[in-house]
Amino acid sequence: MAAAFFFSVALLLAAAAVVSGSPATLTLERAFPSNHGVELSQLRARDMLRHRRMLQSSNGVVDFPVQGTFDPFQVGLYFTKVQLGTPPVEFYVQIDTGSDVLWVGCSSCNGCPQTSGLQIQLNFFDPTRSSTSSSISCSDQRCNGGIQTSDASCSSQNNQCSYTFQYGDGSGTSGYYVSDMMHLDTIFQGAVTTNSSAPVVFGCSNQQTGDLTKSDRAVDGIFGFGQQSMSVISQLSSQGIAPRVFSHCLKGDSSGGGILVLGEIVEPNIVYTPLVASQPHYNLNLQSISVNGQALQIDSSVFATSNTGGTIVDSGTTLAYLAEQAYDPFVNAITAAIPQSVRSVVSKGNQCYLITSSVTDIFPQVSLNFAGGASMALTPQDYLIQQSSIGGAAVWCIGFQKIQGQGVTILGDLVLKDKIIVYDLAGQRIGWANYDCSLSVNVSATTGTGRSEFVNAGEIGGSTSLRDGLKLTKTGFLAFFMHIMLICCFVYL
């Protein structure tokens, strides 16, 4: 995906999976610029490109450390290091909650970059060099599952399960599926011990086009965290290795960091709301928005899920987006709630304010109210972005954006940071709680005996930084966003 300069904070994620009934930890980072000189239009351009394609454990935890540096003027990216094949080969893969498939570049890839500006060593998967690799045929039930969700296709010529993913910026990748071992470094009481492994089906990319061929922000592939059968979460769950739930807690301060675990973060203040059924994304039923405790006069049908509307939780989106009919009432309510002494300005279509004191003391609390009585409390920093400064005054702008002509609401990192977010796929619900993500958390994993065991996560792995990189999601899977972005291409701040 094409990059755009943007402002936000560096986010370092530690992830955990569960191996043999115990949680496993993936350590990853997301890089965001630390300066305030990038305009909202550039942040929004980055998000548009994305929308186009749109633990106490008896067996230990598994750590996937991530390395690198971050460039404050590039688009941020979560990626981690996975080990595939026998003997294991390391691959840097982007973490993507908006797609299902784990895929990496193949040794026969045409158009794959050979080097990366992210200061990482790119590798290529060669099935012939792995003693545990096997191809996936069209008759394989795992391929059939992928065909049903448009994650796979089959050719009668070679009986090989394959895929073709197209991206809204004109880039794309195609290849075939293989089954091989994913290797996990098991940790007991903070010490790395023996390796464990699990068989997974993943894509072997032999063709890449467009921005995927560029080396400045190249990674080895994409690690999809979606709900469908071909996602690693679903595969490990079906084998009884991991629970069908994952969680994250993203730090919102300038130091970045956070946690991403395969398992359920357990905290007493988490509230849950049901996922909207039969949706490829993480859709929620948003019912109303309150400002200073007063519900805005917005018909709840504005937020209803449809082909061109609905509320989606997407940790890959930098800002946040409101359905068109909800945007103006929201901005007007914010402006009306602040003191008249605060100067309001409009910068390229964005409502901004000149602030000489703390935004917490000036701006109102906002609440997003969901089905089941679950409310998400937003502080001013959850809906405002500091843009720059003028004459000693800080310029804070509404971080929520409007998608012209569309009823989609997207809760991106602006909203999700400094919160525990739990994606309970087994229970078909999402939960959250405000939280200091620099602290460790308790993660629950249900073992094969049916008992829930716990491990304290958040202190495993290092705290390294990475350089920014591209963020792509398969548009075949995100066709909903394709339609949105065809319209958004004509919208300017």
Side-chain angles (χ1 to χ4, degrees):
M1 174 181 294
F5 291 116
F6 70 99
F7 156 74
S8 187
V9 293
L11 295 175
L12 169 64
L13 289 131
V18 178
V19 178
S20 300
S22 62
T25 299
L26 294 162
T27 304
L28 9 91
E29 297 182 355
R30 183 159 195 182
F32 285 103
S34 58
N35 73 347
H36 300 161
V38 180
E39 294 185 356
L40 285 176
S41 60
Q42 294 171 303
L43 284 169
R44 186 173 181 179
R46 180 263 181 192
D47 285 337
M48 284 184 178
L49 288 175
R50 168 174 175 79
H51 298 160
R52 289 178 185 173
R53 48 176 225 276
M54 239 258 25
L55 289 149
Q56 184 155 351
S57 172
S58 60
N59 293 317
V61 298
V62 176
D63 183 32
F64 292 82
V66 176
Q67 310 167 31
T69 62
F70 79 93
D71 182 337
F73 299 106
Q74 299 295 323
V75 175
L77 167 69
Y78 294 93
F79 66 91
T80 190
K81 189 164 55 179
V82 297
Q83 294 183 326
L84 302 172
T86 306
V89 178
E90 293 181 341
F91 299 93
Y92 290 95
V93 288
Q94 174 194 351
I95 302 299
D96 185 4
T97 61
S99 64
D100 298 320
V101 174
L102 166 63
W103 65 263
V104 296
C106 237
S107 56
S108 58
C109 185
N110 180 18
C112 287
Q114 303 294 313
T115 59
S116 174
L118 302 179
Q119 300 178 359
I120 59 176
Q121 177 65 48
L122 298 182
N123 284 314
F124 296 93
F125 183 76
D126 187 347
T128 65
R129 292 180 177 270
S130 173
S131 62
T132 52
S133 176
S134 61
S135 62
I136 302 298
S137 68
C138 290
S139 60
D140 193 301
Q141 64 178 8
R142 293 169 294 184
C143 185
N144 292 331
I147 291 175
Q148 294 176 13
T149 58
S150 301
D151 286 326
S153 59
C154 258
S155 170
S156 59
Q157 292 181 330
N158 56 17
N159 193 35
Q160 190 174 57
C161 190
S162 60
Y163 63 88
T164 298
F165 301 154
Q166 296 297 322
Y167 299 82
D169 61 353
S171 64
T173 179
S174 60
Y176 58 93
Y177 285 106
V178 297
S179 175
D180 212 331
M181 305 305 293
M182 174 181 284
H183 298 267
L184 311 167
D185 292 329
T186 306
I187 300 174
F188 288 89
Q189 298 180 346
V192 177
T193 57
T194 59
N195 290 338
S196 57
S197 59
V200 296
V201 173
F202 59 92
C204 196
S205 173
N206 54 25
Q207 179 77 35
Q208 293 183 18
T209 60
D211 282 347
L212 283 177
T213 66
K214 297 180 180 179
S215 61
D216 54 346
R217 291 172 301 276
V219 288
D220 290 314
I222 293 178
F223 195 163
F225 267 75
Q227 306 180 57
Q228 306 303 329
S229 63
M230 297 202 79
S231 71
V232 169
I233 288 179
S234 295
Q235 293 186 58
L236 295 180
S237 175
S238 66
Q239 298 176 50
I241 295 174
R244 201 159 179 258
V245 56
F246 69 96
S247 315
H248 62 65
C249 192
L250 309 178
K251 290 174 62 178
D253 60 31
S254 59
S255 66
I259 298 169
L260 172 62
V261 296
L262 295 189
E264 180 180 359
I265 294 179
V266 180
E267 291 295 330
N269 297 323
I270 294 179
V271 296
Y272 287 88
T273 190
L275 281 166
V276 178
S278 303
Q279 297 297 313
H281 319 293
Y282 294 114
N283 283 72
L284 301 180
N285 184 3
L286 176 62
Q287 296 180 328
S288 66
I289 300 175
S290 300
V291 175
N292 271 343
Q294 298 296 314
L296 303 183
Q297 296 302 306
I298 304 172
D299 194 294
S300 60
S301 63
V302 169
F303 305 114
T305 301
S306 67
N307 290 335
T308 57
T311 301
I312 298 168
V313 177
D314 182 5
S315 63
T317 293
T318 303
L319 301 174
Y321 294 77
L322 273 178
E324 182 180 25
Q325 295 181 46
Y327 183 80
D328 289 340
F330 175 76
V331 173
N332 292 340
I334 298 297
T335 303
I338 62 177
Q340 293 184 354
S341 58
V342 175
R343 182 182 172 188
S344 299
V345 295
V346 176
S347 174
K348 296 185 178 181
N350 292 289
Q351 179 62 58
C352 303
Y353 311 90
L354 302 183
I355 307 298
T356 56
S357 59
S358 171
V359 294
T360 304
D361 299 332
I362 297 174
F363 286 87
Q365 295 291 311
V366 171
S367 176
L368 305 180
N369 307 310
F370 295 88
S375 292
M376 180 180 289
L378 306 184
T379 67
Q381 290 85 353
D382 293 333
Y383 62 82
L384 297 172
I385 289 284
Q386 186 174 355
Q387 181 74 5
S388 58
S389 60
I390 300 177
V395 179
W396 287 82
C397 300
I398 298 290
F400 277 79
Q401 303 293 293
K402 174 167 56 177
I403 299 182
Q404 200 74 28
Q406 295 296 318
V408 66
T409 295
I410 305 170
L411 306 182
D413 290 334
L414 176 66
V415 172
L416 302 180
K417 69 182 188 303
D418 297 321
K419 296 176 181 65
I420 292 171
I421 309 292
V422 178
Y423 302 75
D424 181 2
L425 306 186
Q428 283 296 286
R429 61 180 187 166
I430 286 184
W432 58 81
N434 290 339
Y435 197 79
D436 181 353
C437 297
S438 64
L439 303 177
S440 60
V441 296
N442 290 322
V443 182
S444 171
T446 301
T447 66
T449 63
R451 294 183 298 114
S452 291
E453 300 190 353
F454 299 88
V455 65
N456 185 270
E459 299 175 353
I460 299 172
S463 179
T464 57
S465 60
L466 345 150
R467 193 162 166 205
D468 303 356
L470 65 111
K471 177 66 179 171
L472 291 175
T473 304
K474 174 173 66 68
T475 47
F477 182 76
L478 296 182
F480 174 47
F481 283 142
M482 283 284 291
H483 180 71
I484 293 171
M485 288 306 117
L486 288 175
I487 295 175
C488 286
C489 289
F490 300 99
V491 180
Y492 299 90
L493 297 179

